[in-house]
Amino acid sequence: MATFKTRKKKDGTVVHSAQIRIMKAGVQAFSEAKSFEGRGAEKNARLWAANREAEVKKLLANGKSLSDLSIAQAMARYLKEHENVPKPLGKTKRGTMRLMSEEPILSTIALAEITASDILNYLRKRHDEDNAKPATVLQDLAYIRVLAKYARVAWSIPVNLQEIEDASGVASQLGIVDRSTCRDRRPTYDELQKICSYKHREKNGKGRMSEFKTPLDDIVLFAVFSARRLGEIVRLEWNDLDALKGTILVKDMKHPRKKIGNNMTLFLPRRAIKLIEKQPKVEGESRIFPYAESTIGAAFQRACRWADIEDLTFHDLRHEGVSHLFELQLSVPEVSMVSGHRSWSNLARYTHLTQAGYYDKYSVLGKELGEAGLIGQPSP
């Protein structure tokens, strides 16, 4: 039987909640609740309750319960239950958990009966057979922990969390899991030139020129000069730009806990503003760079392969941008007002200086994009 409630949050948002309770032999055999917000929330709540109740009743009729779910099945259920929630899963978490839900080993382990040995065997397989790096394996372990904690509360599955911690300790001793090392890869100026020339590459060796609809060259340079992540770049809007002050509102910046609404007004260096001014305004489109994140990311990787550039990611451009700001001898507060970092400890891992003293690696672009530095800051 399902019950429904409606309430208002402090900000006026209407929340529709559904709760199902299933009785068996006069005893409550199952209980679960879920809340929905936004357009169609009431309809979604009722639809979820009907489908979920039918699903659980079918399990109980077959003598099964949610406690019989394998880790892989539980991962799939977790993803499904987080499809229409106020705080959606991040791209990395969603993608990794989807792959884990298809992992054969995890499909043979019941979540309710999980043991440290089971987890360690899976982590060994990821490290030894799949050649996953310790930091990647650690991420898998973290998502198993997240799933277990969720299952205990949301599904009333008695998962032994200590088994996960025991496996974590042994895996750490064996070097199977570890935190990621500080990456110091920076693109050279020649590498960036090659990537930017990719849109004008020769096609099939016949001298025919092929151009992307996306201005990959401008976006790559903008990523460097603004020190912005790709996901943030494609969300920037014209209305949030103040070219005179040299600032822009960056929406939904990456945050370890706050996935939505983490908006910050940050400074843009002169050259980043010049690149924005080059972009045409598209009728009916509010974004400055109106392209899909996946399209740009794929084009960047193709450009790297075409130019024989190894071990370079789009995120390395942010590393390059932050390091370059320090090479321009900007202070820590000035750099953080561009990058959005809240602490020096987080900012320090991005600084990989090429040489001491003032150094403008991109001075050759001065005629096209102007001087380095921030608006209002005197040029060296």
Side-chain angles (χ1 to χ4, degrees):
M1 178 180 178
T3 57
F4 303 92
K5 293 181 180 180
T6 303
R7 63 182 177 86
K8 271 191 177 182
K9 296 168 67 174
K10 289 183 179 180
D11 61 2
T13 303
V14 178
V15 180
H16 293 271
S17 300
Q19 182 170 18
I20 59 173
R21 291 187 179 90
I22 299 175
M23 308 297 289
K24 193 172 183 180
V27 179
Q28 181 173 291
F30 182 82
S31 176
E32 186 177 352
K34 190 173 182 180
S35 298
F36 297 82
E37 296 179 14
R39 182 181 297 179
E42 183 177 6
K43 180 181 178 181
N44 290 335
R46 294 185 178 278
L47 183 62
W48 172 83
N51 292 339
R52 189 80 174 103
E53 187 171 3
E55 184 179 21
V56 174
K57 282 183 176 179
K58 185 177 180 180
L59 285 172
L60 294 175
N62 293 331
K64 296 182 179 180
S65 69
L66 289 176
S67 295
D68 296 318
L69 286 175
S70 68
I71 296 177
Q73 291 171 326
M75 284 281 182
R77 180 176 296 281
Y78 180 92
L79 291 172
K80 187 175 181 180
E81 293 190 4
H82 285 76
E83 286 178 353
N84 298 300
V85 293
K87 295 182 179 180
L89 301 178
K91 182 176 67 174
T92 300
K93 183 176 183 179
R94 185 174 62 252
T96 302
M97 294 187 83
R98 180 184 60 78
L99 291 174
M100 293 176 73
S101 71
E102 300 169 356
E103 175 61 53
I105 289 181
L106 296 182
S107 66
T108 64
I109 305 170
L111 183 60
E113 300 172 2
I114 195 170
T115 66
S117 179
D118 290 331
I119 300 172
L120 186 61
N121 287 338
Y122 168 70
L123 300 180
R124 281 182 183 275
K125 184 260 183 187
R126 291 285 289 128
H127 182 270
D128 298 341
E129 298 179 24
D130 298 344
N131 295 318
K133 294 181 179 179
T136 302
V137 182
L138 181 63
Q139 183 175 255
D140 283 14
L141 177 62
Y143 292 152
I144 291 175
R145 186 183 289 111
V146 167
L147 175 67
K149 290 181 177 180
Y150 182 85
R152 281 173 62 90
V153 177
W155 305 333
S156 300
I157 297 179
V159 186
N160 189 340
L161 299 180
Q162 187 57 48
E163 296 289 333
I164 299 174
E165 301 311 317
D166 290 346
S168 175
V170 174
S172 180
Q173 291 176 16
L174 296 174
I176 296 173
V177 299
D178 199 359
R179 296 190 179 278
S180 59
T181 56
C182 183
R183 185 174 170 85
D184 60 2
R185 176 70 160 95
R186 291 182 61 182
T188 65
Y189 184 76
D190 287 342
E191 286 177 331
L192 288 177
Q193 274 192 315
K194 290 178 181 178
I195 292 172
C196 290
S197 66
Y198 176 58
K199 65 180 290 183
H200 300 295
R201 70 195 187 283
E202 288 189 351
K203 188 176 182 180
N204 298 327
K206 298 179 181 179
R208 294 168 54 191
M209 309 305 285
S210 173
E211 291 193 1
F212 279 111
K213 293 181 180 179
T214 56
L216 182 64
D217 49 351
D218 287 350
I219 293 173
V220 164
L221 291 177
F222 181 81
V224 171
F225 295 133
S226 67
R228 297 265 57 81
R229 303 175 181 88
L230 179 53
E232 295 165 356
I233 291 174
V234 297
R235 290 195 296 271
L236 297 176
E237 298 186 0
W238 289 106
N239 289 339
D240 296 326
L241 171 69
D242 189 330
L244 293 178
K245 292 182 179 179
T247 63
I248 194 166
L249 178 66
V250 183
K251 298 177 180 177
D252 298 333
M253 284 187 61
K254 184 178 179 181
H255 190 277
R257 291 173 298 278
K258 194 174 182 182
K259 304 297 183 185
I260 295 179
N262 186 38
N263 305 332
M264 293 183 68
T265 297
L266 299 172
F267 282 89
L268 284 173
R270 297 185 185 96
R271 289 170 179 167
I273 293 176
K274 286 286 187 180
L275 286 162
I276 285 179
E277 291 173 346
K278 287 179 61 180
Q279 307 311 308
K281 290 189 176 181
V282 180
E283 185 176 353
E285 176 59 70
S286 61
R287 294 180 299 157
I288 297 171
F289 298 99
Y291 312 102
E293 180 180 352
S294 58
T295 300
I296 299 171
F300 179 81
Q301 291 303 320
R302 285 196 297 269
C304 288
R305 289 194 295 270
W306 172 78
D308 292 326
I309 298 173
E310 297 181 353
D311 189 35
L312 185 68
T313 68
F314 196 95
H315 194 72
D316 290 333
L317 304 181
R318 175 169 165 84
H319 292 222
E320 167 67 14
V322 173
S323 297
H324 181 58
L325 291 173
F326 279 110
E327 289 173 342
L328 297 176
Q329 295 194 322
L330 270 66
S331 66
V332 171
E334 287 173 327
V335 173
S336 65
M337 287 190 298
V338 175
S339 68
H341 288 93
R342 290 179 169 82
S343 70
W344 165 244
S345 60
N346 289 332
L347 189 59
R349 67 188 298 268
Y350 287 93
T351 58
H352 311 109
L353 306 188
T354 303
Q355 61 187 54
Y358 180 87
Y359 174 53
D360 184 5
K361 181 177 180 178
Y362 302 96
S363 58
V364 69
L365 298 175
K367 291 183 179 180
E368 180 183 358
L369 298 178
E371 297 175 337
L374 307 178
I375 288 179
Q377 180 204 47
S379 301

